[in-house]
Amino acid sequence: MKFRKNTCIFLVSLLYWACTESGIDAEERNPSVKGYFFITPNVHQLSDSLDERITKEGVRTRITSGGRYSLVAYSDSVDVEPVLFVDSIECCETGCSGHREGNRFLFEFSCELNEPAHAILHLKDVGGNFLDYSFYNVSLVGVGDYSDHLSLNLIVAGAFDSTADGKSVDSLARAIGQSIHNYFDIQVDTVYISYAYEHPSVGYMFTKDSVMYVGSSRIIDSLSEPWGESGKDGAFDIVLVDYIDSVRAGYAYRFFYQSSLNLDVSVVAFRGSDGLARGSKTIQNVSVHEIGHVLGLSHTTLTMKELLAWGDYSVYEDGLEDTPYCQKYVDKYKDSLKLKGLGKRCFDIEDPLDWALLDSTYKTDSLVVLWTGCPDYFNIMYPYEGGEYDYLESSPMQREIFKKNLTLIPH
C-alpha cells in the first residue's frame, strides 16, 4: 500500500505476461494472458479471465487439508454435463460431479493433504476433454478446520528503538494485536516478540540493531522458517524493518498467490523516507492492512499497477457490496492505459521498458490528489493507507472473508 503523505503501495509480487487485442473499456475487458490466474476462496471479485480459463488451462488456487470447497459457476449453454478436475494433488483426479440448479452449477470437494498444496481447477467433460461452451461468474467458497483466532509473532529485523510517539516494541506489539482484533473481530491469543538475529537457522543473515533496508531482497522471506517454538511457529509473522524501498510502507503475500505455501508473513517499514520513525498508529494501520492481504482481502480499489501486474482488466475493485470503490480513479487509469497503448501490446516481465512503466505509476499515483476524495478513503484496505488515524473502517463482508480464510490456513 502507498501512504497518502509519506506513503507506499502494495503490489502482489507475482507478475505475468499480459496481452490484450483492443483498448481497455467496459466491453473489452478480457486480455489473453500467458500463465495461470489465481482464484481466491471466499472473495466476491468476478473475473472475465477466470471465466475464460476454467474450461481451458484451468485456474490455480491454494488447497489445505480439511478444507471444504465449493466451486460455483454459471452457464446458459450446457450440452454436456461438466465435472470438476483438481490437478496436481490427489483430489477429484477422475472428476467430481456437480449439482445443477437452472444455470447454476455447484461442485463440492475436499482433499486430505499432509500440507498445503497449489492445485489447478478445470471444468471438463467426464472423459477429461475440454468443453466447447463457457461459464461466467466463477467463484470459490471454502471453510476449514483450523482455528478462527490467531497469534502473532512480531519480528524486529531493523534498528528499532521506539515509534515517533514513544511506544516501545512491547507496547507496539500489544497495540497491533488489539488493532487486528478491533478491525476483524477475531481473538488474538498471544503476541510474541522475536528478533531476526536470534532466528535459529537464518539469524546469521541479520545483525543486532543494524538498519534493515529490504529493497528487492528476499532475505525477509527466510524468517518464515520455523523458530523451533510451537507458539511462534503457529503464529502469523509481522516483520518490522527500517525501510522496504523509497515508496512502500508495507507488503504481504496474499495467501493464494504465495510461491511458498507457508509464507504467511507481512513486512512493515517503521521509518519514513525521511529516515524518521513513524507513529504507532501508522504502523498499526499498515500491519492490519497487510495481514488483511495475507487472509485474502483485496484493496477496495485496485491500482493501475495491480492491473498491469495481474493482466486482468476486468477486476478493478474488491467486489464487496458493503465497500465503495473510487470510480473516478478507475476512470482515470482506464484512460491512462489506453493512452499508453497497452491495448495493442504485451506486458512482458522481462522487458525493462515495461518495468519502467510500472515504476512510473508509483510516481504518477502519488500525485493524484483526487484519492483523498474517494468514498473508500477511510477503509482499512484502501490502497493508499497511512497517517496517524485513530480509527479506520472495515466492513462486515471483509471481516467474514478474513475469518473464513483464517480457518483454511494452518496456524
Side-chain angles (χ1 to χ4, degrees), residues 11-17 216 218 245 248 305 308-309 340 342 345-363:
L11 171 66
V12 171
S13 61
L14 295 182
L15 294 153
Y16 299 92
W17 293 0
S216 60
R218 299 298 296 271
D245 51 36
R248 292 179 293 173
K305 191 157 188 176
L308 291 171
K340 292 177 186 296
L342 292 184
R345 60 184 295 279
C346 297
F347 175 78
D348 189 344
I349 191 172
E350 302 294 339
D351 188 339
L353 294 177
D354 283 354
W355 275 101
L357 173 61
L358 281 176
D359 184 62
S360 72
T361 65
Y362 277 153
K363 300 177 177 62

PDB file of all heavy atoms in Angstrom, residues 11-17 216 218 245 248 305 308-309 340 342 345-363:
ATOM      1  N   LEU A  11       1.858  -4.222  -3.789  1.00  0.00           N
ATOM      2  CA  LEU A  11       1.791  -4.894  -5.079  1.00  0.00           C
ATOM      3  C   LEU A  11       2.114  -6.353  -4.892  1.00  0.00           C
ATOM      4  O   LEU A  11       3.130  -6.693  -4.317  1.00  0.00           O
ATOM      5  CB  LEU A  11       2.792  -4.276  -6.065  1.00  0.00           C
ATOM      6  CG  LEU A  11       2.967  -5.035  -7.391  1.00  0.00           C
ATOM      7  CD1 LEU A  11       1.672  -4.981  -8.181  1.00  0.00           C
ATOM      8  CD2 LEU A  11       4.098  -4.432  -8.205  1.00  0.00           C
ATOM      9  N   VAL A  12       1.213  -7.220  -5.344  1.00  0.00           N
ATOM     10  CA  VAL A  12       1.499  -8.648  -5.313  1.00  0.00           C
ATOM     11  C   VAL A  12       2.761  -8.911  -6.108  1.00  0.00           C
ATOM     12  O   VAL A  12       2.976  -8.355  -7.175  1.00  0.00           O
ATOM     13  CB  VAL A  12       0.320  -9.422  -5.918  1.00  0.00           C
ATOM     14  CG1 VAL A  12       0.689 -10.886  -6.098  1.00  0.00           C
ATOM     15  CG2 VAL A  12      -0.878  -9.327  -4.992  1.00  0.00           C
ATOM     16  N   SER A  13       3.623  -9.760  -5.567  1.00  0.00           N
ATOM     17  CA  SER A  13       4.958  -9.906  -6.135  1.00  0.00           C
ATOM     18  C   SER A  13       4.996 -10.747  -7.396  1.00  0.00           C
ATOM     19  O   SER A  13       5.977 -10.733  -8.114  1.00  0.00           O
ATOM     20  CB  SER A  13       5.891 -10.525  -5.101  1.00  0.00           C
ATOM     21  OG  SER A  13       5.420 -11.790  -4.733  1.00  0.00           O
ATOM     22  N   LEU A  14       3.962 -11.516  -7.667  1.00  0.00           N
ATOM     23  CA  LEU A  14       3.989 -12.338  -8.869  1.00  0.00           C
ATOM     24  C   LEU A  14       3.476 -11.540 -10.052  1.00  0.00           C
ATOM     25  O   LEU A  14       2.420 -10.935  -9.996  1.00  0.00           O
ATOM     26  CB  LEU A  14       3.097 -13.577  -8.677  1.00  0.00           C
ATOM     27  CG  LEU A  14       3.575 -14.543  -7.614  1.00  0.00           C
ATOM     28  CD1 LEU A  14       2.645 -15.731  -7.570  1.00  0.00           C
ATOM     29  CD2 LEU A  14       4.986 -15.015  -7.894  1.00  0.00           C
ATOM     30  N   LEU A  15       4.214 -11.540 -11.141  1.00  0.00           N
ATOM     31  CA  LEU A  15       3.838 -10.808 -12.333  1.00  0.00           C
ATOM     32  C   LEU A  15       3.760 -11.777 -13.501  1.00  0.00           C
ATOM     33  O   LEU A  15       4.499 -12.749 -13.572  1.00  0.00           O
ATOM     34  CB  LEU A  15       4.873  -9.718 -12.637  1.00  0.00           C
ATOM     35  CG  LEU A  15       4.930  -8.598 -11.598  1.00  0.00           C
ATOM     36  CD1 LEU A  15       6.310  -7.968 -11.580  1.00  0.00           C
ATOM     37  CD2 LEU A  15       3.896  -7.556 -11.923  1.00  0.00           C
ATOM     38  N   TYR A  16       2.868 -11.483 -14.430  1.00  0.00           N
ATOM     39  CA  TYR A  16       2.681 -12.354 -15.576  1.00  0.00           C
ATOM     40  C   TYR A  16       2.794 -11.552 -16.855  1.00  0.00           C
ATOM     41  O   TYR A  16       2.630 -10.339 -16.866  1.00  0.00           O
ATOM     42  CB  TYR A  16       1.283 -13.006 -15.536  1.00  0.00           C
ATOM     43  CG  TYR A  16       1.088 -13.844 -14.316  1.00  0.00           C
ATOM     44  CD1 TYR A  16       0.530 -13.299 -13.167  1.00  0.00           C
ATOM     45  CD2 TYR A  16       1.498 -15.173 -14.288  1.00  0.00           C
ATOM     46  CE1 TYR A  16       0.386 -14.061 -12.036  1.00  0.00           C
ATOM     47  CE2 TYR A  16       1.346 -15.931 -13.157  1.00  0.00           C
ATOM     48  CZ  TYR A  16       0.788 -15.374 -12.041  1.00  0.00           C
ATOM     49  OH  TYR A  16       0.644 -16.123 -10.916  1.00  0.00           O
ATOM     50  N   TRP A  17       3.038 -12.237 -17.962  1.00  0.00           N
ATOM     51  CA  TRP A  17       2.946 -11.590 -19.250  1.00  0.00           C
ATOM     52  C   TRP A  17       1.466 -11.369 -19.531  1.00  0.00           C
ATOM     53  O   TRP A  17       0.657 -12.265 -19.384  1.00  0.00           O
ATOM     54  CB  TRP A  17       3.507 -12.483 -20.355  1.00  0.00           C
ATOM     55  CG  TRP A  17       4.966 -12.700 -20.252  1.00  0.00           C
ATOM     56  CD1 TRP A  17       5.819 -12.208 -19.315  1.00  0.00           C
ATOM     57  CD2 TRP A  17       5.756 -13.477 -21.150  1.00  0.00           C
ATOM     58  NE1 TRP A  17       7.078 -12.626 -19.562  1.00  0.00           N
ATOM     59  CE2 TRP A  17       7.083 -13.416 -20.678  1.00  0.00           C
ATOM     60  CE3 TRP A  17       5.483 -14.205 -22.297  1.00  0.00           C
ATOM     61  CZ2 TRP A  17       8.119 -14.057 -21.328  1.00  0.00           C
ATOM     62  CZ3 TRP A  17       6.515 -14.850 -22.931  1.00  0.00           C
ATOM     63  CH2 TRP A  17       7.822 -14.776 -22.456  1.00  0.00           C
ATOM     64  N   SER A 216      14.758  -5.037  -3.107  1.00  0.00           N
ATOM     65  CA  SER A 216      14.265  -6.194  -3.859  1.00  0.00           C
ATOM     66  C   SER A 216      14.733  -7.511  -3.266  1.00  0.00           C
ATOM     67  O   SER A 216      14.499  -8.577  -3.823  1.00  0.00           O
ATOM     68  CB  SER A 216      14.724  -6.104  -5.320  1.00  0.00           C
ATOM     69  OG  SER A 216      16.139  -6.075  -5.388  1.00  0.00           O
ATOM     70  N   ARG A 218      14.993 -10.866  -1.031  1.00  0.00           N
ATOM     71  CA  ARG A 218      14.019 -11.802  -0.474  1.00  0.00           C
ATOM     72  C   ARG A 218      14.487 -12.343   0.877  1.00  0.00           C
ATOM     73  O   ARG A 218      13.970 -13.347   1.355  1.00  0.00           O
ATOM     74  CB  ARG A 218      13.817 -12.971  -1.449  1.00  0.00           C
ATOM     75  CG  ARG A 218      13.289 -12.573  -2.812  1.00  0.00           C
ATOM     76  CD  ARG A 218      11.920 -11.930  -2.756  1.00  0.00           C
ATOM     77  NE  ARG A 218      10.932 -12.848  -2.268  1.00  0.00           N
ATOM     78  CZ  ARG A 218      10.229 -13.676  -3.052  1.00  0.00           C
ATOM     79  NH1 ARG A 218      10.427 -13.672  -4.347  1.00  0.00           N
ATOM     80  NH2 ARG A 218       9.338 -14.495  -2.539  1.00  0.00           N
ATOM     81  N   ASP A 245      11.517   0.196   0.553  1.00  0.00           N
ATOM     82  CA  ASP A 245      12.127   0.952  -0.538  1.00  0.00           C
ATOM     83  C   ASP A 245      11.694   2.392  -0.339  1.00  0.00           C
ATOM     84  O   ASP A 245      11.180   2.742   0.729  1.00  0.00           O
ATOM     85  CB  ASP A 245      11.735   0.395  -1.924  1.00  0.00           C
ATOM     86  CG  ASP A 245      10.236   0.217  -2.085  1.00  0.00           C
ATOM     87  OD1 ASP A 245       9.474   1.050  -1.544  1.00  0.00           O
ATOM     88  OD2 ASP A 245       9.823  -0.736  -2.751  1.00  0.00           O
ATOM     89  N   ARG A 248       7.198   2.095  -0.553  1.00  0.00           N
ATOM     90  CA  ARG A 248       6.259   1.245   0.178  1.00  0.00           C
ATOM     91  C   ARG A 248       6.451   1.310   1.688  1.00  0.00           C
ATOM     92  O   ARG A 248       7.568   1.369   2.196  1.00  0.00           O
ATOM     93  CB  ARG A 248       6.396  -0.209  -0.288  1.00  0.00           C
ATOM     94  CG  ARG A 248       5.924  -0.447  -1.704  1.00  0.00           C
ATOM     95  CD  ARG A 248       6.124  -1.896  -2.102  1.00  0.00           C
ATOM     96  NE  ARG A 248       7.533  -2.252  -2.190  1.00  0.00           N
ATOM     97  CZ  ARG A 248       7.968  -3.495  -2.380  1.00  0.00           C
ATOM     98  NH1 ARG A 248       7.098  -4.488  -2.479  1.00  0.00           N
ATOM     99  NH2 ARG A 248       9.262  -3.745  -2.468  1.00  0.00           N
ATOM    100  N   LYS A 305      -1.229  -0.185 -11.185  1.00  0.00           N
ATOM    101  CA  LYS A 305      -0.085  -1.077 -11.133  1.00  0.00           C
ATOM    102  C   LYS A 305      -0.526  -2.530 -10.939  1.00  0.00           C
ATOM    103  O   LYS A 305       0.065  -3.453 -11.505  1.00  0.00           O
ATOM    104  CB  LYS A 305       0.851  -0.658 -10.008  1.00  0.00           C
ATOM    105  CG  LYS A 305       2.189  -1.379 -10.055  1.00  0.00           C
ATOM    106  CD  LYS A 305       3.241  -0.596  -9.327  1.00  0.00           C
ATOM    107  CE  LYS A 305       4.604  -1.211  -9.541  1.00  0.00           C
ATOM    108  NZ  LYS A 305       5.682  -0.426  -8.931  1.00  0.00           N
ATOM    109  N   LEU A 308      -1.836  -3.854 -14.272  1.00  0.00           N
ATOM    110  CA  LEU A 308      -0.737  -4.161 -15.172  1.00  0.00           C
ATOM    111  C   LEU A 308      -0.028  -5.446 -14.758  1.00  0.00           C
ATOM    112  O   LEU A 308       0.351  -6.264 -15.597  1.00  0.00           O
ATOM    113  CB  LEU A 308       0.263  -3.000 -15.189  1.00  0.00           C
ATOM    114  CG  LEU A 308      -0.211  -1.703 -15.835  1.00  0.00           C
ATOM    115  CD1 LEU A 308       0.800  -0.595 -15.583  1.00  0.00           C
ATOM    116  CD2 LEU A 308      -0.431  -1.893 -17.334  1.00  0.00           C
ATOM    117  N   ALA A 309       0.164  -5.613 -13.452  1.00  0.00           N
ATOM    118  CA  ALA A 309       0.888  -6.791 -12.967  1.00  0.00           C
ATOM    119  C   ALA A 309       0.094  -8.071 -13.167  1.00  0.00           C
ATOM    120  O   ALA A 309       0.644  -9.096 -13.557  1.00  0.00           O
ATOM    121  CB  ALA A 309       1.235  -6.606 -11.495  1.00  0.00           C
ATOM    122  N   LYS A 340      -1.390   4.869 -23.060  1.00  0.00           N
ATOM    123  CA  LYS A 340      -0.096   4.205 -23.095  1.00  0.00           C
ATOM    124  C   LYS A 340      -0.040   3.124 -24.179  1.00  0.00           C
ATOM    125  O   LYS A 340       1.005   2.516 -24.399  1.00  0.00           O
ATOM    126  CB  LYS A 340       0.218   3.581 -21.718  1.00  0.00           C
ATOM    127  CG  LYS A 340       0.452   4.611 -20.619  1.00  0.00           C
ATOM    128  CD  LYS A 340       0.681   3.931 -19.289  1.00  0.00           C
ATOM    129  CE  LYS A 340       0.778   4.925 -18.155  1.00  0.00           C
ATOM    130  NZ  LYS A 340       1.911   5.829 -18.262  1.00  0.00           N
ATOM    131  N   LEU A 342      -1.449   0.176 -24.223  1.00  0.00           N
ATOM    132  CA  LEU A 342      -1.346  -1.196 -23.749  1.00  0.00           C
ATOM    133  C   LEU A 342      -2.400  -2.104 -24.373  1.00  0.00           C
ATOM    134  O   LEU A 342      -2.319  -3.314 -24.265  1.00  0.00           O
ATOM    135  CB  LEU A 342      -1.458  -1.244 -22.228  1.00  0.00           C
ATOM    136  CG  LEU A 342      -0.284  -0.629 -21.478  1.00  0.00           C
ATOM    137  CD1 LEU A 342      -0.459  -0.823 -19.982  1.00  0.00           C
ATOM    138  CD2 LEU A 342       1.023  -1.250 -21.924  1.00  0.00           C
ATOM    139  N   ARG A 345      -0.366  -4.114 -27.163  1.00  0.00           N
ATOM    140  CA  ARG A 345       0.935  -4.730 -26.935  1.00  0.00           C
ATOM    141  C   ARG A 345       0.889  -5.573 -25.668  1.00  0.00           C
ATOM    142  O   ARG A 345      -0.091  -5.575 -24.948  1.00  0.00           O
ATOM    143  CB  ARG A 345       2.021  -3.665 -26.822  1.00  0.00           C
ATOM    144  CG  ARG A 345       1.786  -2.687 -25.675  1.00  0.00           C
ATOM    145  CD  ARG A 345       2.834  -1.586 -25.672  1.00  0.00           C
ATOM    146  NE  ARG A 345       4.154  -2.109 -25.418  1.00  0.00           N
ATOM    147  CZ  ARG A 345       4.600  -2.392 -24.202  1.00  0.00           C
ATOM    148  NH1 ARG A 345       3.831  -2.212 -23.148  1.00  0.00           N
ATOM    149  NH2 ARG A 345       5.815  -2.860 -24.016  1.00  0.00           N
ATOM    150  N   CYS A 346       1.951  -6.301 -25.409  1.00  0.00           N
ATOM    151  CA  CYS A 346       2.030  -7.180 -24.250  1.00  0.00           C
ATOM    152  C   CYS A 346       2.792  -6.525 -23.109  1.00  0.00           C
ATOM    153  O   CYS A 346       3.717  -5.747 -23.345  1.00  0.00           O
ATOM    154  CB  CYS A 346       2.753  -8.482 -24.608  1.00  0.00           C
ATOM    155  SG  CYS A 346       1.927  -9.472 -25.836  1.00  0.00           S
ATOM    156  N   PHE A 347       2.402  -6.853 -21.899  1.00  0.00           N
ATOM    157  CA  PHE A 347       3.245  -6.529 -20.751  1.00  0.00           C
ATOM    158  C   PHE A 347       4.177  -7.701 -20.530  1.00  0.00           C
ATOM    159  O   PHE A 347       3.741  -8.836 -20.355  1.00  0.00           O
ATOM    160  CB  PHE A 347       2.407  -6.296 -19.486  1.00  0.00           C
ATOM    161  CG  PHE A 347       3.263  -6.091 -18.272  1.00  0.00           C
ATOM    162  CD1 PHE A 347       3.879  -4.879 -18.047  1.00  0.00           C
ATOM    163  CD2 PHE A 347       3.505  -7.128 -17.396  1.00  0.00           C
ATOM    164  CE1 PHE A 347       4.696  -4.699 -16.951  1.00  0.00           C
ATOM    165  CE2 PHE A 347       4.322  -6.963 -16.295  1.00  0.00           C
ATOM    166  CZ  PHE A 347       4.925  -5.733 -16.070  1.00  0.00           C
ATOM    167  N   ASP A 348       5.470  -7.447 -20.566  1.00  0.00           N
ATOM    168  CA  ASP A 348       6.476  -8.502 -20.513  1.00  0.00           C
ATOM    169  C   ASP A 348       7.326  -8.338 -19.267  1.00  0.00           C
ATOM    170  O   ASP A 348       7.988  -7.316 -19.081  1.00  0.00           O
ATOM    171  CB  ASP A 348       7.359  -8.416 -21.762  1.00  0.00           C
ATOM    172  CG  ASP A 348       8.295  -9.605 -21.890  1.00  0.00           C
ATOM    173  OD1 ASP A 348       8.474 -10.324 -20.893  1.00  0.00           O
ATOM    174  OD2 ASP A 348       8.835  -9.804 -22.998  1.00  0.00           O
ATOM    175  N   ILE A 349       7.293  -9.344 -18.406  1.00  0.00           N
ATOM    176  CA  ILE A 349       8.044  -9.279 -17.154  1.00  0.00           C
ATOM    177  C   ILE A 349       9.547  -9.137 -17.403  1.00  0.00           C
ATOM    178  O   ILE A 349      10.288  -8.642 -16.555  1.00  0.00           O
ATOM    179  CB  ILE A 349       7.751 -10.523 -16.290  1.00  0.00           C
ATOM    180  CG1 ILE A 349       8.297 -10.344 -14.880  1.00  0.00           C
ATOM    181  CG2 ILE A 349       8.313 -11.766 -16.920  1.00  0.00           C
ATOM    182  CD1 ILE A 349       7.883 -11.446 -13.937  1.00  0.00           C
ATOM    183  N   GLU A 350      10.026  -9.542 -18.571  1.00  0.00           N
ATOM    184  CA  GLU A 350      11.455  -9.485 -18.872  1.00  0.00           C
ATOM    185  C   GLU A 350      11.861  -8.166 -19.529  1.00  0.00           C
ATOM    186  O   GLU A 350      13.049  -7.911 -19.739  1.00  0.00           O
ATOM    187  CB  GLU A 350      11.846 -10.650 -19.793  1.00  0.00           C
ATOM    188  CG  GLU A 350      11.524 -12.029 -19.225  1.00  0.00           C
ATOM    189  CD  GLU A 350      12.355 -12.333 -17.985  1.00  0.00           C
ATOM    190  OE1 GLU A 350      13.407 -11.711 -17.805  1.00  0.00           O
ATOM    191  OE2 GLU A 350      11.926 -13.213 -17.206  1.00  0.00           O
ATOM    192  N   ASP A 351      10.909  -7.322 -19.870  1.00  0.00           N
ATOM    193  CA  ASP A 351      11.199  -6.103 -20.621  1.00  0.00           C
ATOM    194  C   ASP A 351      11.448  -4.937 -19.663  1.00  0.00           C
ATOM    195  O   ASP A 351      10.556  -4.534 -18.921  1.00  0.00           O
ATOM    196  CB  ASP A 351      10.015  -5.775 -21.531  1.00  0.00           C
ATOM    197  CG  ASP A 351      10.332  -4.626 -22.487  1.00  0.00           C
ATOM    198  OD1 ASP A 351      11.261  -3.844 -22.206  1.00  0.00           O
ATOM    199  OD2 ASP A 351       9.633  -4.522 -23.503  1.00  0.00           O
ATOM    200  N   PRO A 352      12.676  -4.376 -19.653  1.00  0.00           N
ATOM    201  CA  PRO A 352      12.956  -3.272 -18.727  1.00  0.00           C
ATOM    202  C   PRO A 352      12.088  -2.056 -18.979  1.00  0.00           C
ATOM    203  O   PRO A 352      11.827  -1.269 -18.069  1.00  0.00           O
ATOM    204  CB  PRO A 352      14.442  -2.974 -18.983  1.00  0.00           C
ATOM    205  CG  PRO A 352      14.736  -3.545 -20.323  1.00  0.00           C
ATOM    206  CD  PRO A 352      13.851  -4.739 -20.464  1.00  0.00           C
ATOM    207  N   LEU A 353      11.625  -1.867 -20.222  1.00  0.00           N
ATOM    208  CA  LEU A 353      10.753  -0.738 -20.504  1.00  0.00           C
ATOM    209  C   LEU A 353       9.407  -0.898 -19.803  1.00  0.00           C
ATOM    210  O   LEU A 353       8.813   0.072 -19.337  1.00  0.00           O
ATOM    211  CB  LEU A 353      10.551  -0.588 -22.015  1.00  0.00           C
ATOM    212  CG  LEU A 353      11.794  -0.197 -22.816  1.00  0.00           C
ATOM    213  CD1 LEU A 353      11.463  -0.152 -24.304  1.00  0.00           C
ATOM    214  CD2 LEU A 353      12.334   1.146 -22.346  1.00  0.00           C
ATOM    215  N   ASP A 354       8.912  -2.144 -19.730  1.00  0.00           N
ATOM    216  CA  ASP A 354       7.659  -2.385 -19.027  1.00  0.00           C
ATOM    217  C   ASP A 354       7.837  -2.164 -17.528  1.00  0.00           C
ATOM    218  O   ASP A 354       6.948  -1.673 -16.848  1.00  0.00           O
ATOM    219  CB  ASP A 354       7.148  -3.802 -19.297  1.00  0.00           C
ATOM    220  CG  ASP A 354       6.502  -3.909 -20.674  1.00  0.00           C
ATOM    221  OD1 ASP A 354       6.375  -2.866 -21.333  1.00  0.00           O
ATOM    222  OD2 ASP A 354       6.138  -5.017 -21.069  1.00  0.00           O
ATOM    223  N   TRP A 355       8.988  -2.585 -16.991  1.00  0.00           N
ATOM    224  CA  TRP A 355       9.262  -2.321 -15.574  1.00  0.00           C
ATOM    225  C   TRP A 355       9.313  -0.819 -15.319  1.00  0.00           C
ATOM    226  O   TRP A 355       8.844  -0.329 -14.293  1.00  0.00           O
ATOM    227  CB  TRP A 355      10.572  -2.986 -15.158  1.00  0.00           C
ATOM    228  CG  TRP A 355      10.379  -4.403 -14.787  1.00  0.00           C
ATOM    229  CD1 TRP A 355      10.644  -5.503 -15.547  1.00  0.00           C
ATOM    230  CD2 TRP A 355       9.853  -4.895 -13.561  1.00  0.00           C
ATOM    231  NE1 TRP A 355      10.316  -6.652 -14.873  1.00  0.00           N
ATOM    232  CE2 TRP A 355       9.831  -6.306 -13.653  1.00  0.00           C
ATOM    233  CE3 TRP A 355       9.383  -4.291 -12.397  1.00  0.00           C
ATOM    234  CZ2 TRP A 355       9.374  -7.122 -12.634  1.00  0.00           C
ATOM    235  CZ3 TRP A 355       8.933  -5.107 -11.367  1.00  0.00           C
ATOM    236  CH2 TRP A 355       8.930  -6.503 -11.492  1.00  0.00           C
ATOM    237  N   ALA A 356       9.898  -0.070 -16.257  1.00  0.00           N
ATOM    238  CA  ALA A 356       9.948   1.383 -16.109  1.00  0.00           C
ATOM    239  C   ALA A 356       8.546   1.971 -16.115  1.00  0.00           C
ATOM    240  O   ALA A 356       8.242   2.911 -15.377  1.00  0.00           O
ATOM    241  CB  ALA A 356      10.786   1.987 -17.236  1.00  0.00           C
ATOM    242  N   LEU A 357       7.671   1.383 -16.940  1.00  0.00           N
ATOM    243  CA  LEU A 357       6.285   1.839 -16.973  1.00  0.00           C
ATOM    244  C   LEU A 357       5.597   1.582 -15.639  1.00  0.00           C
ATOM    245  O   LEU A 357       4.914   2.459 -15.094  1.00  0.00           O
ATOM    246  CB  LEU A 357       5.522   1.118 -18.097  1.00  0.00           C
ATOM    247  CG  LEU A 357       4.009   1.364 -18.149  1.00  0.00           C
ATOM    248  CD1 LEU A 357       3.709   2.825 -18.375  1.00  0.00           C
ATOM    249  CD2 LEU A 357       3.375   0.505 -19.243  1.00  0.00           C
ATOM    250  N   LEU A 358       5.801   0.385 -15.090  1.00  0.00           N
ATOM    251  CA  LEU A 358       5.223   0.087 -13.786  1.00  0.00           C
ATOM    252  C   LEU A 358       5.757   1.045 -12.731  1.00  0.00           C
ATOM    253  O   LEU A 358       5.013   1.563 -11.907  1.00  0.00           O
ATOM    254  CB  LEU A 358       5.542  -1.357 -13.388  1.00  0.00           C
ATOM    255  CG  LEU A 358       4.695  -2.446 -14.008  1.00  0.00           C
ATOM    256  CD1 LEU A 358       5.210  -3.804 -13.571  1.00  0.00           C
ATOM    257  CD2 LEU A 358       3.241  -2.296 -13.624  1.00  0.00           C
ATOM    258  N   ASP A 359       7.058   1.296 -12.759  1.00  0.00           N
ATOM    259  CA  ASP A 359       7.655   2.184 -11.773  1.00  0.00           C
ATOM    260  C   ASP A 359       7.085   3.585 -11.889  1.00  0.00           C
ATOM    261  O   ASP A 359       6.871   4.270 -10.890  1.00  0.00           O
ATOM    262  CB  ASP A 359       9.173   2.214 -11.958  1.00  0.00           C
ATOM    263  CG  ASP A 359       9.861   3.046 -10.892  1.00  0.00           C
ATOM    264  OD1 ASP A 359       9.748   2.684  -9.706  1.00  0.00           O
ATOM    265  OD2 ASP A 359      10.497   4.050 -11.240  1.00  0.00           O
ATOM    266  N   SER A 360       6.807   4.019 -13.120  1.00  0.00           N
ATOM    267  CA  SER A 360       6.278   5.366 -13.304  1.00  0.00           C
ATOM    268  C   SER A 360       4.896   5.520 -12.692  1.00  0.00           C
ATOM    269  O   SER A 360       4.493   6.616 -12.322  1.00  0.00           O
ATOM    270  CB  SER A 360       6.229   5.718 -14.795  1.00  0.00           C
ATOM    271  OG  SER A 360       5.200   4.999 -15.457  1.00  0.00           O
ATOM    272  N   THR A 361       4.146   4.399 -12.583  1.00  0.00           N
ATOM    273  CA  THR A 361       2.816   4.507 -11.987  1.00  0.00           C
ATOM    274  C   THR A 361       2.894   4.828 -10.508  1.00  0.00           C
ATOM    275  O   THR A 361       1.986   5.431  -9.954  1.00  0.00           O
ATOM    276  CB  THR A 361       2.003   3.209 -12.184  1.00  0.00           C
ATOM    277  OG1 THR A 361       2.624   2.147 -11.478  1.00  0.00           O
ATOM    278  CG2 THR A 361       1.880   2.872 -13.645  1.00  0.00           C
ATOM    279  N   TYR A 362       3.964   4.411  -9.835  1.00  0.00           N
ATOM    280  CA  TYR A 362       4.153   4.838  -8.446  1.00  0.00           C
ATOM    281  C   TYR A 362       4.184   6.358  -8.377  1.00  0.00           C
ATOM    282  O   TYR A 362       3.496   6.988  -7.586  1.00  0.00           O
ATOM    283  CB  TYR A 362       5.492   4.316  -7.907  1.00  0.00           C
ATOM    284  CG  TYR A 362       5.493   2.912  -7.391  1.00  0.00           C
ATOM    285  CD1 TYR A 362       6.658   2.164  -7.414  1.00  0.00           C
ATOM    286  CD2 TYR A 362       4.335   2.334  -6.867  1.00  0.00           C
ATOM    287  CE1 TYR A 362       6.686   0.871  -6.929  1.00  0.00           C
ATOM    288  CE2 TYR A 362       4.360   1.043  -6.384  1.00  0.00           C
ATOM    289  CZ  TYR A 362       5.531   0.306  -6.416  1.00  0.00           C
ATOM    290  OH  TYR A 362       5.562  -0.965  -5.936  1.00  0.00           O
ATOM    291  N   LYS A 363       5.027   6.955  -9.231  1.00  0.00           N
ATOM    292  CA  LYS A 363       5.213   8.399  -9.184  1.00  0.00           C
ATOM    293  C   LYS A 363       3.939   9.117  -9.610  1.00  0.00           C
ATOM    294  O   LYS A 363       3.558  10.136  -9.040  1.00  0.00           O
ATOM    295  CB  LYS A 363       6.383   8.780 -10.080  1.00  0.00           C
ATOM    296  CG  LYS A 363       7.708   8.136  -9.659  1.00  0.00           C
ATOM    297  CD  LYS A 363       8.824   8.482 -10.623  1.00  0.00           C
ATOM    298  CE  LYS A 363      10.157   7.897 -10.178  1.00  0.00           C
ATOM    299  NZ  LYS A 363      10.150   6.425 -10.114  1.00  0.00           N
TER     300      LYS A 363
END
